[in-house]
Amino acid sequence: MGPLNNSSPLTTHVLNTGDGLPAVRMAISLHRLDPQMTLWNLITVGSTNEDGRCPGLITSDAFTPGTYKMRFETGQYWESLEQGSFYPYVEIVFTITDADQKFHLPLLLSRYSYSTYRGS
Amino acid sequence: MNRLQLIKDHILSRERNASEPLSNGLYARVTSAIHGKNPRHFQNMAMPATQPSPLTTHVLNIAKGVPGANMTISLYRLDPVSSVWNELTTRLTNDDGRCLCLITKETFIAGVYKMHFETEKYWNALGEISFYPFVEVVFTVTDASQKYHVPLLLSRFSYSTYRGS
């Protein structure tokens, strides 16, 4: 067995708390704020799997201290379920000071609410 | 006192948004009434009714179990043509973690809005660090005749929001 998506130091998990299910096939993108703080550089684009996760978000080498943004295309997701939603998308901006640690950023989501936390 | 503060905030908000500042007279009179220089004069006057903002927020520091006071919040509306965020107002939450007079009924139209919460500055003022440099909640107002309550429940390493009432 070769090295799998050698666990990304940054992971996420999107849960549809309205239906009590993982949010499947939600588009996600990861961005890093450029050092001059003037724009966001796109690092990865992906979508959640059957378990609401998105493996391989970033490699350990690429994961350096800085300010990151995870953008979840929640509006599109609800539209694909033929439902409306209060939020066209969700962006979570966070600061990484120690890139040797692992960071888990879940998103618990319903049509009219969401929450996130730093997990493990 | 709350009523006077409401009016003062309303004047301050209009001053920020107007191309010319209002006369200092009205603002100064309301301010001195709030600070007790002629309270009776205003208590007995018929005050123009200030309608509550159709959009409200409430910041709660759930780590300490207190309101999130003195946090800077900015409200933006997305320009549908240029896709630019236009800043509508910037305010500080009060001691109860609320922002009075975020927007008026007249200015509150259907569209996509963004509330920007300066969470890191808030935690830094309490001598703590925060995982999130700021929190932005983007939401769609389809029916501007309704009321929208967008609270933020916050700790240093988590936050949640919902459409409330």
Side-chain angles (χ1 to χ4, degrees), chain A residues 67 86-89 91-96 103 105 112-118, chain B residues 85 112 131-134 136-140 148 150 157-163:
Chain A
T67 302
F86 192 41
Y87 313 98
Y89 57 85
E91 284 185 346
I92 298 171
V93 180
F94 54 100
T95 307
I96 302 296
F103 292 82
L105 257 69
Y112 287 93
S113 71
Y114 66 87
S115 70
T116 186
Y117 55 88
R118 184 189 166 182
Chain B
W85 288 105
V112 178
F131 189 46
Y132 311 100
F134 56 83
E136 284 185 345
V137 178
V138 179
F139 55 98
T140 308
Y148 291 78
V150 183
F157 289 92
S158 72
Y159 66 87
S160 70
T161 187
Y162 54 88
R163 183 181 172 187

Side-chain angles (χ1 to χ4, degrees), chain B residues 105-121:
Chain B
K105 272 190 88 78
E106 293 74 36
T107 333
F108 191 54
I109 57 177
V112 178
Y113 290 77
K114 173 166 74 176
M115 259 204 283
H116 175 103
F117 301 81
E118 285 289 344
T119 53
E120 186 167 69
K121 292 200 172 101

Side-chain angles (χ1 to χ4, degrees), chain B residues 56-60 117 137 149-153 160-164:
Chain B
T56 53
T57 186
H58 194 187
V59 182
L60 290 151
F117 301 81
V137 178
H149 184 58
V150 183
L152 180 68
L153 280 58
S160 70
T161 187
Y162 54 88
R163 183 181 172 187

